[in-house]
Amino acid sequence: MLNVENISFSYQKEPVLKNIDFSLEKGTHLAIIGESGSGKSTLLKAIYGLLQLDAGSVRWNGTKVLGPNFNLIPGENYMKYVSQDFDLMPFTTVFENVAEYLSVFEMDKHQARVDELLNTVAMTAFANAKVKDLSGGQKQRVALAKALAQESDILLLDEPFSSIDQFKKYELRHKLFPYLKERGVTIITATHDPEDVLGFADKVLVLKDGVQIAHEPTRKLYDRPKEKYVASLFGLVNELPIKMLKEYAETDAKILVYPHEFQISKESGVEVYVVKSHFKGSTYLIEGVTDSGQHVFFSNSHALKVHVKVFLNIPLPLVNKRMIKIDR
Ligand code: ADP
Ligand code: MG
């Protein structure tokens, strides 16, 4: 069990983390999401013990993580942290980098172990290449393999796929996360990519300006985001006044709707005129505008002509789930 107890941290006098407080069961995968600068990397560093906290503490199974004032070499051996800048030895081979921390008493087993890890990150063909000759994405994959080699209880991953090509990212997520899950590793991934979160993370912690504004199971957070900022981290979302749906509504409340959730009708609903159709591969994202100038994005299986009128409907159960208070 990881306990992050009311931690705060400032760079010079500027507070960056404000009263972060959560706990995580062993084997759980937590995603930390938030816009750039919200404090994701700082929170990972704080958990790893790289920062001298202003307040609060971090515990793993009851034992306090000691900060840099207590540990000569920062970081705890039951935790591994893969930073955004990889931390590899450039003039040695991929194999040597991954094997760096493997036990010297089991040299005979190194080959098989490194082979397995390189296979997990799809880098088998590069075992003998020097790290300095690799692309950014390849270095990132080596850094991941090196972190896996050490079999820690907790793995902290900072934007783990940020440098990796789109199509390789997909494969790698599907290999890496189940590999770790099977081994009961507790994972904390800081990311701004919703693809890293949906389908992989059990829980999500949302940061906004260093404040933890949500900590919930992934599905629940997606279904019931409390504000547009949260929903936006999962992709494009509409924030529409309830009055647009029901003219006589007396509330100033708004509703959050993801583009694929609208039902399109030829007869009744909110009238919108098509402005543009954006090709998205499996669907089209259609941009429409109402008479009052409200822009709405909705999905459709095919493109729609500009100026065509359509009626949009929102399923009733969504109205209750997605109502939010007026902008703060
Ligand atoms: P994220 O990873 O979510 O993009 P960071 O944790 O890197 O955010 O940064 C959070 C805030 O802390 C930002 O405002 C950033 O400018 C500031 N910050 C990060 N690192 C340092 C540093 N070494 N010195 C001073 N300020 C920093
Ligand atoms: Mg970061």
Side-chain angles (χ1 to χ4, degrees):
M1 176 87 130
L2 178 74
N3 297 99
V4 173
E5 297 161 344
N6 247 307
I7 63 172
S8 294
F9 174 75
S10 320
Y11 282 114
Q12 292 88 41
K13 294 253 150 66
E14 195 61 36
V16 176
L17 299 176
K18 303 163 194 167
N19 298 312
I20 308 292
D21 191 85
F22 66 92
S23 47
L24 199 60
E25 297 285 343
K26 182 185 180 305
T28 309
H29 181 175
L30 174 75
I32 298 174
I33 63 173
E35 63 192 359
S36 178
S38 58
K40 303 183 295 294
S41 298
T42 308
L43 179 52
L44 288 188
K45 287 176 192 156
I47 295 171
Y48 192 52
L50 297 181
L51 305 176
Q52 196 56 45
L53 303 176
D54 299 344
S57 59
V58 177
R59 284 171 201 282
W60 174 247
N61 295 335
T63 309
K64 196 166 166 178
V65 175
L66 299 174
N69 291 1
F70 300 90
N71 268 352
L72 208 53
I73 300 164
E76 306 284 341
N77 59 15
Y78 52 84
M79 268 201 250
K80 269 289 141 309
Y81 165 59
V82 184
S83 75
Q84 279 173 291
D85 31 56
F86 313 153
D87 220 359
L88 299 169
M89 305 178 289
F91 299 103
T92 52
T93 66
V94 166
F95 184 97
E96 287 162 321
N97 269 273
V98 175
E100 186 187 355
Y101 296 116
L102 294 178
S103 162
V104 289
F105 301 110
E106 295 180 276
M107 291 296 254
D108 52 327
K109 294 190 185 130
H110 284 192
Q111 185 70 46
R113 178 83 178 122
V114 175
D115 284 350
E116 180 200 0
L117 295 168
L118 290 181
N119 180 43
T120 305
V121 298
M123 281 293 285
T124 308
F126 296 89
N128 298 315
K130 295 244 166 71
V131 163
K132 68 177 175 56
D133 298 325
L134 302 178
S135 71
Q138 290 166 338
K139 284 181 193 153
Q140 192 163 32
R141 284 187 273 155
V142 176
L144 287 168
K146 185 173 172 177
L148 298 183
Q150 299 164 67
E151 294 191 324
S152 54
D153 295 336
I154 315 180
L155 196 53
L156 307 173
L157 303 173
D158 201 350
E159 309 276 359
F161 310 113
S162 57
S163 306
I164 295 168
D165 302 342
Q166 201 56 35
F167 76 101
K168 291 215 184 80
K169 244 184 224 184
Y170 185 82
E171 186 191 338
L172 193 51
R173 286 187 193 105
H174 281 270
K175 270 187 161 175
L176 184 73
F177 289 137
Y179 178 96
L180 294 168
K181 265 272 168 197
E182 276 165 28
R183 286 159 181 78
V185 178
T186 306
I187 315 165
I188 305 185
T189 308
T191 183
H192 63 271
D193 187 344
E195 300 274 332
D196 291 343
V197 179
L198 297 168
F200 296 110
D202 303 302
K203 291 181 115 185
V204 180
L205 185 139
V206 185
L207 288 181
K208 186 180 182 182
D209 295 333
V211 176
Q212 163 185 342
I213 61 167
H215 174 230
E216 286 174 33
T218 309
R219 186 64 209 248
K220 185 168 172 227
L221 191 71
Y222 182 88
D223 278 344
R224 293 177 180 270
K226 287 198 192 74
E227 56 178 293
K228 187 179 184 188
Y229 175 84
V230 174
S232 304
L233 297 168
F234 293 117
L236 185 64
V237 66
N238 296 282
E239 185 184 48
L240 306 170
I242 292 282
K243 284 199 167 108
M244 193 181 113
L245 311 175
K246 277 198 167 108
E247 278 175 43
Y248 307 108
E250 284 184 11
T251 169
D252 280 334
K254 294 191 171 189
I255 179 170
L256 297 172
V257 188
Y258 298 110
H260 69 273
E261 293 175 322
F262 286 107
Q263 290 161 351
I264 300 168
S265 149
K266 290 203 169 76
E267 289 116 43
S268 66
V270 177
E271 259 182 53
V272 302
Y273 296 87
V274 173
V275 176
K276 200 166 184 221
S277 295
H278 307 267
F279 180 55
K280 289 283 168 194
S282 57
T283 58
Y284 279 82
L285 181 68
I286 316 281
E287 184 177 354
V289 65
T290 64
D291 272 340
S292 58
Q294 172 78 53
H295 282 254
V296 184
F297 289 89
F298 57 98
S299 305
N300 199 37
S301 57
H302 53 276
L304 295 175
K305 288 215 170 73
V306 178
H307 301 313
V308 160
K309 179 162 84 175
V310 294
F311 295 96
L312 298 179
N313 291 284
I314 300 170
L316 204 57
L318 267 193
V319 178
N320 294 326
K321 274 204 264 186
R322 296 289 175 68
M323 236 177 359
I324 53 162
K325 299 255 165 56
I326 195 76
D327 288 356
R328 271 140 272 185

mmCIF file with all atom_site columns, all heavy atoms in Angstrom, residues 224-242:
data_model
loop_
_atom_site.group_PDB
_atom_site.id
_atom_site.type_symbol
_atom_site.label_atom_id
_atom_site.label_alt_id
_atom_site.label_comp_id
_atom_site.label_asym_id
_atom_site.label_entity_id
_atom_site.label_seq_id
_atom_site.pdbx_PDB_ins_code
_atom_site.Cartn_x
_atom_site.Cartn_y
_atom_site.Cartn_z
_atom_site.occupancy
_atom_site.B_iso_or_equiv
_atom_site.pdbx_formal_charge
_atom_site.auth_seq_id
_atom_site.auth_comp_id
_atom_site.auth_asym_id
_atom_site.auth_atom_id
_atom_site.pdbx_PDB_model_num
ATOM 1   N N   . ARG A 1 224 ? -18.531 10.701 -15.162 1.00 0.00 ? 224 ARG A N   1
ATOM 2   C CA  . ARG A 1 224 ? -19.059 11.802 -14.351 1.00 0.00 ? 224 ARG A CA  1
ATOM 3   C C   . ARG A 1 224 ? -17.989 12.831 -14.035 1.00 0.00 ? 224 ARG A C   1
ATOM 4   O O   . ARG A 1 224 ? -17.664 13.061 -12.865 1.00 0.00 ? 224 ARG A O   1
ATOM 5   C CB  . ARG A 1 224 ? -19.638 11.262 -13.030 1.00 0.00 ? 224 ARG A CB  1
ATOM 6   C CG  . ARG A 1 224 ? -20.877 10.414 -13.202 1.00 0.00 ? 224 ARG A CG  1
ATOM 7   C CD  . ARG A 1 224 ? -21.334 9.855  -11.864 1.00 0.00 ? 224 ARG A CD  1
ATOM 8   N NE  . ARG A 1 224 ? -22.525 9.038  -12.004 1.00 0.00 ? 224 ARG A NE  1
ATOM 9   C CZ  . ARG A 1 224 ? -23.769 9.517  -11.922 1.00 0.00 ? 224 ARG A CZ  1
ATOM 10  N NH1 . ARG A 1 224 ? -23.987 10.789 -11.672 1.00 0.00 ? 224 ARG A NH1 1
ATOM 11  N NH2 . ARG A 1 224 ? -24.799 8.702  -12.070 1.00 0.00 ? 224 ARG A NH2 1
ATOM 12  N N   . PRO A 1 225 ? -17.424 13.464 -15.037 1.00 0.00 ? 225 PRO A N   1
ATOM 13  C CA  . PRO A 1 225 ? -16.413 14.495 -14.760 1.00 0.00 ? 225 PRO A CA  1
ATOM 14  C C   . PRO A 1 225 ? -17.088 15.692 -14.105 1.00 0.00 ? 225 PRO A C   1
ATOM 15  O O   . PRO A 1 225 ? -18.198 16.048 -14.493 1.00 0.00 ? 225 PRO A O   1
ATOM 16  C CB  . PRO A 1 225 ? -15.877 14.855 -16.146 1.00 0.00 ? 225 PRO A CB  1
ATOM 17  C CG  . PRO A 1 225 ? -16.967 14.468 -17.099 1.00 0.00 ? 225 PRO A CG  1
ATOM 18  C CD  . PRO A 1 225 ? -17.749 13.357 -16.468 1.00 0.00 ? 225 PRO A CD  1
ATOM 19  N N   . LYS A 1 226 ? -16.424 16.262 -13.108 1.00 0.00 ? 226 LYS A N   1
ATOM 20  C CA  . LYS A 1 226 ? -17.087 17.357 -12.385 1.00 0.00 ? 226 LYS A CA  1
ATOM 21  C C   . LYS A 1 226 ? -16.915 18.699 -13.069 1.00 0.00 ? 226 LYS A C   1
ATOM 22  O O   . LYS A 1 226 ? -17.590 19.659 -12.743 1.00 0.00 ? 226 LYS A O   1
ATOM 23  C CB  . LYS A 1 226 ? -16.555 17.423 -10.956 1.00 0.00 ? 226 LYS A CB  1
ATOM 24  C CG  . LYS A 1 226 ? -17.074 16.276 -10.110 1.00 0.00 ? 226 LYS A CG  1
ATOM 25  C CD  . LYS A 1 226 ? -16.912 16.570 -8.632  1.00 0.00 ? 226 LYS A CD  1
ATOM 26  C CE  . LYS A 1 226 ? -17.155 15.324 -7.805  1.00 0.00 ? 226 LYS A CE  1
ATOM 27  N NZ  . LYS A 1 226 ? -16.020 14.362 -7.916  1.00 0.00 ? 226 LYS A NZ  1
ATOM 28  N N   . GLU A 1 227 ? -15.952 18.784 -13.980 1.00 0.00 ? 227 GLU A N   1
ATOM 29  C CA  . GLU A 1 227 ? -15.793 20.036 -14.720 1.00 0.00 ? 227 GLU A CA  1
ATOM 30  C C   . GLU A 1 227 ? -15.176 19.764 -16.073 1.00 0.00 ? 227 GLU A C   1
ATOM 31  O O   . GLU A 1 227 ? -14.636 18.680 -16.312 1.00 0.00 ? 227 GLU A O   1
ATOM 32  C CB  . GLU A 1 227 ? -14.956 21.033 -13.913 1.00 0.00 ? 227 GLU A CB  1
ATOM 33  C CG  . GLU A 1 227 ? -13.602 20.513 -13.503 1.00 0.00 ? 227 GLU A CG  1
ATOM 34  C CD  . GLU A 1 227 ? -12.807 21.577 -12.742 1.00 0.00 ? 227 GLU A CD  1
ATOM 35  O OE1 . GLU A 1 227 ? -12.439 22.590 -13.358 1.00 0.00 ? 227 GLU A OE1 1
ATOM 36  O OE2 . GLU A 1 227 ? -12.559 21.367 -11.531 1.00 0.00 ? 227 GLU A OE2 1
ATOM 37  N N   . LYS A 1 228 ? -15.270 20.773 -16.945 1.00 0.00 ? 228 LYS A N   1
ATOM 38  C CA  . LYS A 1 228 ? -14.812 20.599 -18.318 1.00 0.00 ? 228 LYS A CA  1
ATOM 39  C C   . LYS A 1 228 ? -13.332 20.227 -18.382 1.00 0.00 ? 228 LYS A C   1
ATOM 40  O O   . LYS A 1 228 ? -12.919 19.403 -19.201 1.00 0.00 ? 228 LYS A O   1
ATOM 41  C CB  . LYS A 1 228 ? -15.061 21.878 -19.114 1.00 0.00 ? 228 LYS A CB  1
ATOM 42  C CG  . LYS A 1 228 ? -14.754 21.689 -20.578 1.00 0.00 ? 228 LYS A CG  1
ATOM 43  C CD  . LYS A 1 228 ? -15.003 22.930 -21.395 1.00 0.00 ? 228 LYS A CD  1
ATOM 44  C CE  . LYS A 1 228 ? -14.753 22.624 -22.869 1.00 0.00 ? 228 LYS A CE  1
ATOM 45  N NZ  . LYS A 1 228 ? -14.792 23.841 -23.675 1.00 0.00 ? 228 LYS A NZ  1
ATOM 46  N N   . TYR A 1 229 ? -12.523 20.828 -17.505 1.00 0.00 ? 229 TYR A N   1
ATOM 47  C CA  . TYR A 1 229 ? -11.084 20.543 -17.476 1.00 0.00 ? 229 TYR A CA  1
ATOM 48  C C   . TYR A 1 229 ? -10.824 19.042 -17.405 1.00 0.00 ? 229 TYR A C   1
ATOM 49  O O   . TYR A 1 229 ? -9.995  18.505 -18.132 1.00 0.00 ? 229 TYR A O   1
ATOM 50  C CB  . TYR A 1 229 ? -10.467 21.265 -16.283 1.00 0.00 ? 229 TYR A CB  1
ATOM 51  C CG  . TYR A 1 229 ? -8.996  20.961 -16.046 1.00 0.00 ? 229 TYR A CG  1
ATOM 52  C CD1 . TYR A 1 229 ? -8.004  21.655 -16.733 1.00 0.00 ? 229 TYR A CD1 1
ATOM 53  C CD2 . TYR A 1 229 ? -8.602  19.989 -15.123 1.00 0.00 ? 229 TYR A CD2 1
ATOM 54  C CE1 . TYR A 1 229 ? -6.654  21.381 -16.503 1.00 0.00 ? 229 TYR A CE1 1
ATOM 55  C CE2 . TYR A 1 229 ? -7.265  19.713 -14.888 1.00 0.00 ? 229 TYR A CE2 1
ATOM 56  C CZ  . TYR A 1 229 ? -6.295  20.411 -15.580 1.00 0.00 ? 229 TYR A CZ  1
ATOM 57  O OH  . TYR A 1 229 ? -4.974  20.142 -15.362 1.00 0.00 ? 229 TYR A OH  1
ATOM 58  N N   . VAL A 1 230 ? -11.570 18.350 -16.539 1.00 0.00 ? 230 VAL A N   1
ATOM 59  C CA  . VAL A 1 230 ? -11.373 16.904 -16.351 1.00 0.00 ? 230 VAL A CA  1
ATOM 60  C C   . VAL A 1 230 ? -11.754 16.145 -17.626 1.00 0.00 ? 230 VAL A C   1
ATOM 61  O O   . VAL A 1 230 ? -10.980 15.334 -18.142 1.00 0.00 ? 230 VAL A O   1
ATOM 62  C CB  . VAL A 1 230 ? -12.190 16.390 -15.144 1.00 0.00 ? 230 VAL A CB  1
ATOM 63  C CG1 . VAL A 1 230 ? -12.100 14.874 -15.037 1.00 0.00 ? 230 VAL A CG1 1
ATOM 64  C CG2 . VAL A 1 230 ? -11.717 17.048 -13.858 1.00 0.00 ? 230 VAL A CG2 1
ATOM 65  N N   . ALA A 1 231 ? -12.942 16.443 -18.159 1.00 0.00 ? 231 ALA A N   1
ATOM 66  C CA  . ALA A 1 231 ? -13.408 15.736 -19.361 1.00 0.00 ? 231 ALA A CA  1
ATOM 67  C C   . ALA A 1 231 ? -12.469 16.002 -20.533 1.00 0.00 ? 231 ALA A C   1
ATOM 68  O O   . ALA A 1 231 ? -12.198 15.110 -21.343 1.00 0.00 ? 231 ALA A O   1
ATOM 69  C CB  . ALA A 1 231 ? -14.825 16.172 -19.695 1.00 0.00 ? 231 ALA A CB  1
ATOM 70  N N   . SER A 1 232 ? -11.946 17.227 -20.627 1.00 0.00 ? 232 SER A N   1
ATOM 71  C CA  . SER A 1 232 ? -11.063 17.598 -21.744 1.00 0.00 ? 232 SER A CA  1
ATOM 72  C C   . SER A 1 232 ? -9.794  16.764 -21.777 1.00 0.00 ? 232 SER A C   1
ATOM 73  O O   . SER A 1 232 ? -9.184  16.598 -22.830 1.00 0.00 ? 232 SER A O   1
ATOM 74  C CB  . SER A 1 232 ? -10.634 19.062 -21.640 1.00 0.00 ? 232 SER A CB  1
ATOM 75  O OG  . SER A 1 232 ? -11.754 19.883 -21.587 1.00 0.00 ? 232 SER A OG  1
ATOM 76  N N   . LEU A 1 233 ? -9.374  16.256 -20.617 1.00 0.00 ? 233 LEU A N   1
ATOM 77  C CA  . LEU A 1 233 ? -8.162  15.437 -20.571 1.00 0.00 ? 233 LEU A CA  1
ATOM 78  C C   . LEU A 1 233 ? -8.383  14.096 -21.268 1.00 0.00 ? 233 LEU A C   1
ATOM 79  O O   . LEU A 1 233 ? -7.440  13.408 -21.628 1.00 0.00 ? 233 LEU A O   1
ATOM 80  C CB  . LEU A 1 233 ? -7.707  15.231 -19.124 1.00 0.00 ? 233 LEU A CB  1
ATOM 81  C CG  . LEU A 1 233 ? -7.305  16.522 -18.384 1.00 0.00 ? 233 LEU A CG  1
ATOM 82  C CD1 . LEU A 1 233 ? -7.164  16.264 -16.896 1.00 0.00 ? 233 LEU A CD1 1
ATOM 83  C CD2 . LEU A 1 233 ? -6.015  17.106 -18.944 1.00 0.00 ? 233 LEU A CD2 1
ATOM 84  N N   . PHE A 1 234 ? -9.650  13.721 -21.462 1.00 0.00 ? 234 PHE A N   1
ATOM 85  C CA  . PHE A 1 234 ? -9.976  12.478 -22.179 1.00 0.00 ? 234 PHE A CA  1
ATOM 86  C C   . PHE A 1 234 ? -10.217 12.721 -23.663 1.00 0.00 ? 234 PHE A C   1
ATOM 87  O O   . PHE A 1 234 ? -10.460 11.795 -24.416 1.00 0.00 ? 234 PHE A O   1
ATOM 88  C CB  . PHE A 1 234 ? -11.221 11.825 -21.572 1.00 0.00 ? 234 PHE A CB  1
ATOM 89  C CG  . PHE A 1 234 ? -11.012 11.315 -20.176 1.00 0.00 ? 234 PHE A CG  1
ATOM 90  C CD1 . PHE A 1 234 ? -11.727 11.842 -19.113 1.00 0.00 ? 234 PHE A CD1 1
ATOM 91  C CD2 . PHE A 1 234 ? -10.092 10.303 -19.931 1.00 0.00 ? 234 PHE A CD2 1
ATOM 92  C CE1 . PHE A 1 234 ? -11.536 11.364 -17.824 1.00 0.00 ? 234 PHE A CE1 1
ATOM 93  C CE2 . PHE A 1 234 ? -9.893  9.818  -18.647 1.00 0.00 ? 234 PHE A CE2 1
ATOM 94  C CZ  . PHE A 1 234 ? -10.617 10.356 -17.588 1.00 0.00 ? 234 PHE A CZ  1
ATOM 95  N N   . GLY A 1 235 ? -10.221 13.972 -24.088 1.00 0.00 ? 235 GLY A N   1
ATOM 96  C CA  . GLY A 1 235 ? -10.459 14.289 -25.492 1.00 0.00 ? 235 GLY A CA  1
ATOM 97  C C   . GLY A 1 235 ? -11.408 15.461 -25.624 1.00 0.00 ? 235 GLY A C   1
ATOM 98  O O   . GLY A 1 235 ? -11.747 16.119 -24.648 1.00 0.00 ? 235 GLY A O   1
ATOM 99  N N   . LEU A 1 236 ? -11.855 15.684 -26.850 1.00 0.00 ? 236 LEU A N   1
ATOM 100 C CA  . LEU A 1 236 ? -12.738 16.820 -27.114 1.00 0.00 ? 236 LEU A CA  1
ATOM 101 C C   . LEU A 1 236 ? -14.082 16.633 -26.402 1.00 0.00 ? 236 LEU A C   1
ATOM 102 O O   . LEU A 1 236 ? -14.643 15.544 -26.406 1.00 0.00 ? 236 LEU A O   1
ATOM 103 C CB  . LEU A 1 236 ? -12.959 16.916 -28.630 1.00 0.00 ? 236 LEU A CB  1
ATOM 104 C CG  . LEU A 1 236 ? -13.756 18.108 -29.129 1.00 0.00 ? 236 LEU A CG  1
ATOM 105 C CD1 . LEU A 1 236 ? -13.021 19.407 -28.837 1.00 0.00 ? 236 LEU A CD1 1
ATOM 106 C CD2 . LEU A 1 236 ? -14.017 17.962 -30.614 1.00 0.00 ? 236 LEU A CD2 1
ATOM 107 N N   . VAL A 1 237 ? -14.570 17.696 -25.782 1.00 0.00 ? 237 VAL A N   1
ATOM 108 C CA  . VAL A 1 237 ? -15.865 17.610 -25.098 1.00 0.00 ? 237 VAL A CA  1
ATOM 109 C C   . VAL A 1 237 ? -16.625 18.925 -25.299 1.00 0.00 ? 237 VAL A C   1
ATOM 110 O O   . VAL A 1 237 ? -16.012 19.989 -25.414 1.00 0.00 ? 237 VAL A O   1
ATOM 111 C CB  . VAL A 1 237 ? -15.656 17.294 -23.587 1.00 0.00 ? 237 VAL A CB  1
ATOM 112 C CG1 . VAL A 1 237 ? -14.967 18.431 -22.866 1.00 0.00 ? 237 VAL A CG1 1
ATOM 113 C CG2 . VAL A 1 237 ? -16.957 16.948 -22.901 1.00 0.00 ? 237 VAL A CG2 1
ATOM 114 N N   . ASN A 1 238 ? -17.950 18.837 -25.381 1.00 0.00 ? 238 ASN A N   1
ATOM 115 C CA  . ASN A 1 238 ? -18.783 20.038 -25.499 1.00 0.00 ? 238 ASN A CA  1
ATOM 116 C C   . ASN A 1 238 ? -19.265 20.445 -24.118 1.00 0.00 ? 238 ASN A C   1
ATOM 117 O O   . ASN A 1 238 ? -19.658 19.588 -23.324 1.00 0.00 ? 238 ASN A O   1
ATOM 118 C CB  . ASN A 1 238 ? -20.027 19.736 -26.337 1.00 0.00 ? 238 ASN A CB  1
ATOM 119 C CG  . ASN A 1 238 ? -19.696 19.383 -27.768 1.00 0.00 ? 238 ASN A CG  1
ATOM 120 O OD1 . ASN A 1 238 ? -19.405 20.248 -28.585 1.00 0.00 ? 238 ASN A OD1 1
ATOM 121 N ND2 . ASN A 1 238 ? -19.714 18.087 -28.069 1.00 0.00 ? 238 ASN A ND2 1
ATOM 122 N N   . GLU A 1 239 ? -19.241 21.743 -23.856 1.00 0.00 ? 239 GLU A N   1
ATOM 123 C CA  . GLU A 1 239 ? -19.860 22.262 -22.628 1.00 0.00 ? 239 GLU A CA  1
ATOM 124 C C   . GLU A 1 239 ? -21.010 23.156 -23.073 1.00 0.00 ? 239 GLU A C   1
ATOM 125 O O   . GLU A 1 239 ? -20.793 24.229 -23.623 1.00 0.00 ? 239 GLU A O   1
ATOM 126 C CB  . GLU A 1 239 ? -18.830 23.062 -21.818 1.00 0.00 ? 239 GLU A CB  1
ATOM 127 C CG  . GLU A 1 239 ? -19.370 23.522 -20.480 1.00 0.00 ? 239 GLU A CG  1
ATOM 128 C CD  . GLU A 1 239 ? -18.363 24.401 -19.734 1.00 0.00 ? 239 GLU A CD  1
ATOM 129 O OE1 . GLU A 1 239 ? -17.813 25.340 -20.355 1.00 0.00 ? 239 GLU A OE1 1
ATOM 130 O OE2 . GLU A 1 239 ? -18.127 24.153 -18.554 1.00 0.00 ? 239 GLU A OE2 1
ATOM 131 N N   . LEU A 1 240 ? -22.235 22.689 -22.858 1.00 0.00 ? 240 LEU A N   1
ATOM 132 C CA  . LEU A 1 240 ? -23.394 23.386 -23.419 1.00 0.00 ? 240 LEU A CA  1
ATOM 133 C C   . LEU A 1 240 ? -24.336 23.839 -22.316 1.00 0.00 ? 240 LEU A C   1
ATOM 134 O O   . LEU A 1 240 ? -24.548 23.112 -21.340 1.00 0.00 ? 240 LEU A O   1
ATOM 135 C CB  . LEU A 1 240 ? -24.149 22.443 -24.357 1.00 0.00 ? 240 LEU A CB  1
ATOM 136 C CG  . LEU A 1 240 ? -23.297 21.809 -25.469 1.00 0.00 ? 240 LEU A CG  1
ATOM 137 C CD1 . LEU A 1 240 ? -24.082 20.724 -26.186 1.00 0.00 ? 240 LEU A CD1 1
ATOM 138 C CD2 . LEU A 1 240 ? -22.814 22.868 -26.452 1.00 0.00 ? 240 LEU A CD2 1
ATOM 139 N N   . PRO A 1 241 ? -24.937 25.034 -22.472 1.00 0.00 ? 241 PRO A N   1
ATOM 140 C CA  . PRO A 1 241 ? -25.909 25.473 -21.471 1.00 0.00 ? 241 PRO A CA  1
ATOM 141 C C   . PRO A 1 241 ? -27.171 24.613 -21.540 1.00 0.00 ? 241 PRO A C   1
ATOM 142 O O   . PRO A 1 241 ? -27.635 24.295 -22.637 1.00 0.00 ? 241 PRO A O   1
ATOM 143 C CB  . PRO A 1 241 ? -26.220 26.915 -21.870 1.00 0.00 ? 241 PRO A CB  1
ATOM 144 C CG  . PRO A 1 241 ? -25.668 27.111 -23.235 1.00 0.00 ? 241 PRO A CG  1
ATOM 145 C CD  . PRO A 1 241 ? -24.723 26.005 -23.542 1.00 0.00 ? 241 PRO A CD  1
ATOM 146 N N   . ILE A 1 242 ? -27.674 24.229 -20.387 1.00 0.00 ? 242 ILE A N   1
ATOM 147 C CA  . ILE A 1 242 ? -28.917 23.443 -20.343 1.00 0.00 ? 242 ILE A CA  1
ATOM 148 C C   . ILE A 1 242 ? -30.028 24.185 -21.089 1.00 0.00 ? 242 ILE A C   1
ATOM 149 O O   . ILE A 1 242 ? -30.874 23.591 -21.735 1.00 0.00 ? 242 ILE A O   1
ATOM 150 C CB  . ILE A 1 242 ? -29.350 23.206 -18.867 1.00 0.00 ? 242 ILE A CB  1
ATOM 151 C CG1 . ILE A 1 242 ? -28.348 22.289 -18.172 1.00 0.00 ? 242 ILE A CG1 1
ATOM 152 C CG2 . ILE A 1 242 ? -30.746 22.638 -18.776 1.00 0.00 ? 242 ILE A CG2 1
ATOM 153 C CD1 . ILE A 1 242 ? -28.467 20.836 -18.489 1.00 0.00 ? 242 ILE A CD1 1
#
